Amino acid sequence: MIKLIFCLMTLAPAALAQDAASSSPPKPRIIMHCGGGGWKDGQVQEPCILVNPKDASRLIMFYAGMTLGGKEGALGKAWANVSDPFTWHEDPSNPILLGKSSDPLREPRFTRLDSVVYQPALEEYWIYYTGNSTTAPKEALGLATSPAGNDGYSGVVKENIKQYAGNPVLSPRTPGRPDENCVSQGAVFRENGLWYLFYSYRTARKTLPGIRLATSRDGKHWKKVPGPDLLTAAPEQLYVEWHQVYKIGDRYVMFYEGYNGGTRWGADVATSSCLTGGWKKMPVGLIDQTRWPGYSDALFHVATPALYNINRKWYLYFQGAHSGGE
């Protein structure tokens, strides 16, 4: 059984154009897979971090966990000071969203965290997630909302989180194109009044072969964009999984989890001058954990990479794991 934990490394401001071997060594584990009553004994993943909208000196992290065997997934939260993004405090009330039902989007049996967006006008966090079911559609995207509360943190509790009545917000049958039985891992990006959702999909013959796009005016009603995949796994990867999208300078940057069909998962990067096309992969070895200072077997696998600029310094949060065993 492979167990996965959160780690963090720092990148120089120009690190996207540098070899990762020139970056600082990874820091100690920041969120452990164990503890908390079993909901994350299997692994933790998908760190979505925001500056607390009610307290700019603090950060809030939403993240997902899985039970041993991966049969149930849930979401938790933690906080850290902006001045110390290495020290996180997991909330004792975790998990804040627990999946146990056979309904993938009302109360999902299996939950993966996709994106978190703060809506200032509503003073709400919008939590996008992937729900899994044993019936078709096997995977689809849901939306849950939570009031930020007076301090931006304490109000984010199980009792306050509400499922959007129109779930799923994106399914294989959403207008625009068919996606067989599975859509998942939607990275949400907003610009100029339009919402963009970069999502993964599966077919009967292919597992996560690429990234596709849907757009929305309100973050609730989405329409898929037909045409070729924005990014394909082949030939560098067998599949591409969790991903996040950013704008850095005048370029759009996608960090994604890639698997090459061998033994190892890693973090990879693609860039474009346009959100809706022209995505090009950067060299696979750009972020190669085997070349990081201090590399050890604890970083054999690197997954769910997320990049954040905190106090004008880049931080790469990721899921790390041994090659096997404990």
Side-chain angles (χ1 to χ4, degrees):
M1 174 70 65
I2 297 174
K3 294 186 178 180
L4 302 160
I5 47 88
F6 278 148
C7 302
L8 180 152
M9 70 178 292
T10 58
L11 301 175
L16 291 178
Q18 296 177 357
D19 187 285
S22 65
S23 303
S24 302
K27 301 298 180 181
R29 304 167 183 182
I30 60 170
I31 301 282
M32 290 295 293
H33 62 80
C34 53
W39 71 276
K40 60 184 180 74
D41 278 359
Q43 64 186 65
V44 289
Q45 69 271 343
E46 296 138 8
C48 292
I49 299 173
L50 298 85
V51 174
N52 186 318
K54 301 299 182 73
D55 182 353
S57 70
R58 288 195 172 186
L59 305 168
I60 178 171
M61 178 197 292
F62 297 81
Y63 61 98
M66 277 196 244
T67 58
L68 281 172
K71 292 184 178 180
E72 292 180 3
L75 306 183
K77 68 173 183 176
W79 68 269
N81 290 312
V82 168
S83 60
D84 181 14
F86 303 104
T87 304
W88 287 86
H89 308 271
E90 297 182 74
D91 199 85
S93 68
N94 283 336
I96 57 174
L97 181 63
L98 180 63
K100 286 188 175 180
S101 170
S102 60
D103 185 330
L105 295 165
R106 302 298 177 188
E107 188 181 352
R109 178 183 69 85
F110 175 92
T111 307
R112 297 286 299 265
L113 181 59
D114 295 343
S115 295
V116 180
V117 174
Y118 180 66
Q119 290 279 63
L122 301 173
E123 296 189 314
E124 289 181 343
Y125 295 107
W126 286 24
I127 304 165
Y128 293 87
Y129 62 89
T130 296
N132 174 279
S133 173
T134 57
T135 60
K138 292 185 177 179
E139 290 185 349
L141 271 61
L143 169 64
T145 63
S146 173
N150 293 331
D151 62 4
Y153 184 82
S154 60
V156 184
V157 294
K158 192 181 307 181
E159 295 75 19
N160 290 342
I161 295 177
K162 306 298 181 185
Q163 301 287 342
Y164 170 53
N167 278 339
V169 293
L170 192 81
S171 81
R173 303 182 184 91
T174 297
R177 71 188 311 158
D179 286 304
E180 296 200 14
N181 285 328
C182 296
V183 294
S184 62
Q185 298 155 331
V188 176
F189 185 91
R190 295 181 297 173
E191 187 172 67
N192 297 328
L194 191 63
W195 298 59
Y196 300 83
L197 190 151
F198 300 79
Y199 69 93
S200 302
Y201 68 99
R202 300 171 189 252
T203 71
R205 296 184 178 181
K206 294 182 179 181
T207 300
L208 305 168
I211 304 294
R212 292 177 171 175
L213 179 66
T215 59
S216 172
R217 287 290 181 185
D218 62 4
K220 295 178 177 178
H221 304 90
W222 296 86
K223 184 175 181 180
K224 295 174 183 173
V225 177
D229 290 1
L230 292 185
L231 191 74
T232 60
E236 296 87 355
Q237 290 91 20
L238 185 66
Y239 62 71
V240 294
E241 200 162 358
W242 199 73
H243 47 279
Q244 294 289 282
V245 176
Y246 316 86
K247 190 171 186 180
I248 302 176
D250 61 354
R251 301 287 294 180
Y252 299 100
V253 179
M254 181 186 299
F255 270 69
Y256 63 93
E257 172 187 344
Y259 175 57
N260 63 9
T263 60
R264 196 183 306 269
W265 281 260
D268 293 294
V269 184
T271 67
S272 177
S273 60
C274 175
L275 280 169
T276 59
W279 287 92
K280 302 293 183 184
K281 293 179 180 177
M282 300 193 76
V284 173
L286 179 68
I287 304 178
D288 181 354
Q289 62 265 36
T290 66
R291 296 158 64 186
W292 292 347
Y295 170 79
S296 71
D297 185 62
L299 300 176
F300 186 88
H301 297 292
V302 164
T304 67
L307 187 70
Y308 299 101
N309 192 315
I310 303 169
N311 274 346
R312 295 181 293 180
K313 189 172 185 178
W314 292 104
Y315 295 83
L316 176 64
Y317 291 79
F318 60 91
Q319 179 191 59
H322 293 273
S323 57
E326 295 296 316

